[in-house]
Amino acid sequence: MDLNETLNWRYTTKEFDPTKKISEADIDQVKNLLRMSASSINLQPWQFIIAETKEGKERMAKGTQGFFHFNEPKITNASAVVLFCAKTSVDEEYVKHIVDTEDKAGRFPNEEIKNGFHGAMNAFINIHKYDLKDLQHWVEKQVYLNIGSFLLGVASLKIDATPMEGIDVKALDEEFGLREKGYTAVVAVSLGYRTETDFNATDKNPKARLPESEIFTII
């Protein structure tokens, strides 16, 4: 993968070709991108709803009614849509679940290191829960870390993507019963393949980025 080529090829797709579908093999890689993302203290505070069927995308499109109607075609014409969801609480039971998962994977050479990791997880969670009082915001930051690597990853597969904060998260929480499960919708990302008429494609509409002199300080 040529990283610069991939970065320049990727853009926010405005029109998806509804006749083009992502292969099953590529969908498997898409799932692996989601699962293998980095997160602070390996918290993995997320769930993903992947809509591939017509019925599934229609359910997802319920989050684009009313004010967000302009995003509906980006869901219904896409090959697949991923709804990124964040946990709404992080309790000791969940922390222990993460620690046990790491232990089963062979991450800890001894009990002392396992206990140290467990204590470190709780220490960082408590900083955000009690000191900074931004636990939910911090959890959602981890989801955004996933989204960032996800967009680059799917681009490396030559799959187009459109990240959308322009969705009715309450409607989607209700549609998929997320709050009862301890999650809330954050961002939807549509996946598929661009049309030849997409005005935002990089071969028609070059990327615009701030110059290096404006954004870098080298010390």
Side-chain angles (χ1 to χ4, degrees):
M1 179 184 74
D2 183 311
L3 184 58
N4 285 328
E5 179 183 330
T6 301
L7 288 169
N8 285 313
W9 180 86
R10 191 213 70 79
Y11 75 106
T12 298
T13 305
K14 299 299 182 181
E15 291 182 12
F16 287 99
D17 185 339
T19 68
K20 295 182 178 180
K21 302 300 178 185
I22 300 171
S23 70
E24 186 174 339
D26 279 349
I27 285 293
D28 285 342
Q29 293 198 67
V30 165
K31 291 176 182 176
N32 201 42
L33 280 168
L34 295 167
R35 182 169 173 264
M36 297 302 292
S37 173
S39 60
S40 182
I41 59 172
N42 200 26
L43 191 61
Q44 305 170 71
W46 45 54
Q47 280 277 307
F48 313 100
I49 298 174
I50 303 175
E52 295 183 81
T53 65
K54 180 176 183 292
E55 294 75 19
K57 287 182 284 187
E58 286 174 352
R59 292 183 68 188
M60 198 74 76
K62 291 182 180 180
T64 60
Q65 305 305 303
F67 180 78
F68 301 112
H69 65 91
F70 52 86
N71 275 330
E72 184 172 4
K74 300 183 188 76
I75 288 178
T76 56
N77 290 333
S79 177
V81 184
V82 180
L83 184 63
F84 287 73
C85 309
K87 285 186 69 65
T88 54
S89 66
V90 180
D91 57 18
E92 176 58 23
E93 181 180 0
Y94 182 74
V95 171
K96 188 175 185 305
H97 174 57
I98 294 294
V99 174
D100 288 344
T101 300
E102 295 236 8
D103 194 23
K104 289 176 184 176
R107 297 279 293 166
F108 308 122
N110 55 57
E111 196 70 15
E112 182 181 356
I113 291 177
K114 176 183 175 180
N115 291 337
F117 176 72
H118 193 161
M121 285 195 75
N122 280 324
F124 277 100
I125 289 166
N126 286 338
I127 285 170
H128 289 280
K129 184 176 182 179
Y130 298 111
D131 302 335
L132 300 178
K133 296 179 172 40
D134 68 343
L135 183 60
Q136 186 59 33
H137 182 57
W138 181 64
V139 164
E140 292 188 7
K141 283 181 179 180
Q142 312 315 311
V143 177
Y144 274 87
L145 278 177
N146 194 316
I147 295 167
S149 62
F150 182 73
L151 293 176
L152 180 60
V154 295
S156 75
L157 299 171
K158 287 295 187 282
I159 296 173
D160 290 304
T162 302
M164 291 174 286
E165 289 183 310
I167 53 173
D168 186 337
V169 295
K170 183 178 180 181
L172 290 171
D173 282 359
E174 292 175 353
E175 176 64 24
F176 297 110
L178 289 171
R179 296 182 187 183
E180 294 79 5
K181 299 171 185 175
Y183 294 90
T184 184
V186 178
V187 172
V189 179
S190 290
L191 303 173
Y193 301 98
R194 65 190 73 177
T195 64
E196 292 185 2
T197 57
D198 188 347
F199 76 91
N200 205 39
T202 50
D203 59 342
K204 302 180 182 69
N205 196 2
K207 286 179 176 289
R209 295 293 188 270
L210 294 172
E212 290 187 11
S213 59
E214 190 172 336
I215 63 172
F216 296 126
T217 299
I218 309 299
I219 58 173

